[in-house]
Amino acid sequence: MGKYEIAPSMLSADFNRLGEQFQEIERAGVNWLHVDVMDGQFVPSVSFGMPVIKSIRKESKLFFDVHLMMVQPERYIQDFADAGADMITVHAEACTHLDRVLQQIRQCGKKAAVALNPATPLCVLDYVLEKVDMVLLMTVNPGFGGQSYLESCTGKIQQLRRRIEELGLSVDIEVDGGINKSTVRTVKEAGANIFVAGSAVFGGNITENIQELSKLAEIGR
Ligand code: DX5
Ligand code: ZN
């Protein structure tokens, strides 16, 4: 398992002041930026794509954790790699040939991760867990920011951490959806180490939010 990180989700940022807000999260000690790409098909909503990522890449040294909520992501892996992703996460539910897509990401020289929706069982990871850097466990049904954490996910995080330890792997567990001051401790204790937070970071005072979340998750700054 790698370090503990807060990964602010840019979906909840003010799109008119992206550069400024990214500088603020960096100054507050954040290393990761969670970048949510939605295609209007895998999930109901549409967000943004390669041109936006390319443009923010020029201004930021943050680690770009790109979460592809799209069908057939294999069509665009090279484009997201070229746009500036450091890690690319694809949904198991969206890939007919998951193993091949993960290889594609690696061939682009990027870190590879797989995401599971809340209702998707952990057994879909059986033959790929050794080939990923991270597993993203959705803790809400993907599509929108600002939803409530699904309690049923806590046991799933625990089970996955146990499995990773049994196999002696060093795979990160990222949790995404409804992570805030009330839930961050629960998911950390369950075994997650990368905490995506959208509304809990960008709603209100960004620096204070990051400080409080870091304190609750006991992340040294
Ligand atoms: C949801 C996205 C999330 C979202 C999280 O489909 O994948 O990354 O931005 O937002 P919050 O933290 O507000 O639940
Ligand atoms: Zn996400």
Side-chain angles (χ1 to χ4, degrees), residues 34 36 67 69 176:
H34 185 78
D36 283 307
H67 177 193
M69 285 167 276
D176 183 8

Side-chain angles (χ1 to χ4, degrees), residues 2-202:
K3 294 193 301 182
Y4 291 97
E5 300 284 354
I6 290 176
S9 165
M10 120 179 206
L11 200 59
S12 298
D14 177 351
F15 280 65
N16 208 23
R17 300 169 48 230
L18 284 181
E20 217 178 289
Q21 296 202 325
F22 294 165
Q23 278 172 16
E24 183 168 356
I25 62 171
E26 263 189 81
R27 271 199 306 270
V30 159
N31 302 308
W32 282 45
L33 181 71
H34 185 78
V35 180
D36 283 307
V37 178
M38 300 178 171
D39 69 347
Q41 205 176 342
F42 182 70
V43 286
S45 194
V46 175
S47 58
F48 47 78
M50 289 78 84
V52 172
I53 299 173
K54 210 175 216 160
S55 131
I56 58 170
R57 180 74 283 177
K58 289 188 212 139
E59 298 290 322
S60 175
K61 291 194 172 51
L62 291 162
F63 180 86
F64 279 14
D65 158 32
V66 176
H67 177 193
L68 298 182
M69 285 167 276
M70 54 161 56
V71 295
Q72 299 173 338
E74 62 275 10
R75 296 169 296 160
Y76 297 110
I77 300 300
Q78 188 68 55
D79 297 279
F80 283 105
D82 294 344
D86 293 299
M87 176 182 274
I88 300 179
T89 302
V90 293
H91 270 264
E93 305 86 354
C95 300
T96 309
H97 301 289
L98 178 59
D99 185 88
R100 183 184 287 152
V101 183
L102 294 170
Q103 285 182 41
Q104 225 184 315
I105 300 172
R106 289 227 186 280
Q107 277 159 9
C108 295
K110 305 299 172 186
K111 290 195 185 291
V114 57
L116 303 186
N117 285 333
T120 303
L122 291 174
C123 61
V124 304
L125 298 171
D126 279 359
Y127 302 100
V128 292
L129 198 51
E130 290 169 20
K131 302 179 180 183
V132 295
D133 296 287
M134 183 181 87
V135 175
L136 187 171
L137 292 181
M138 285 306 308
T139 43
V140 298
N141 288 296
F144 307 97
Q147 304 180 74
S148 299
Y149 176 78
L150 293 169
E151 296 292 340
S152 56
C153 296
T154 310
K156 194 176 180 186
I157 303 167
Q158 288 167 341
Q159 276 182 42
L160 178 59
R161 179 53 70 198
R162 217 174 298 138
R163 181 97 191 105
I164 290 169
E165 278 169 8
E166 276 165 12
L167 294 170
L169 302 172
S170 64
V171 175
D172 290 317
I173 301 181
E174 178 174 66
V175 281
D176 183 8
I179 306 304
N180 54 36
K181 290 162 201 161
S182 324
T183 53
V184 71
R185 258 205 124 92
T186 308
V187 290
K188 184 192 175 183
E189 280 164 12
N193 65 302
I194 312 284
F195 313 105
V196 175
S199 37
V201 165
F202 291 103

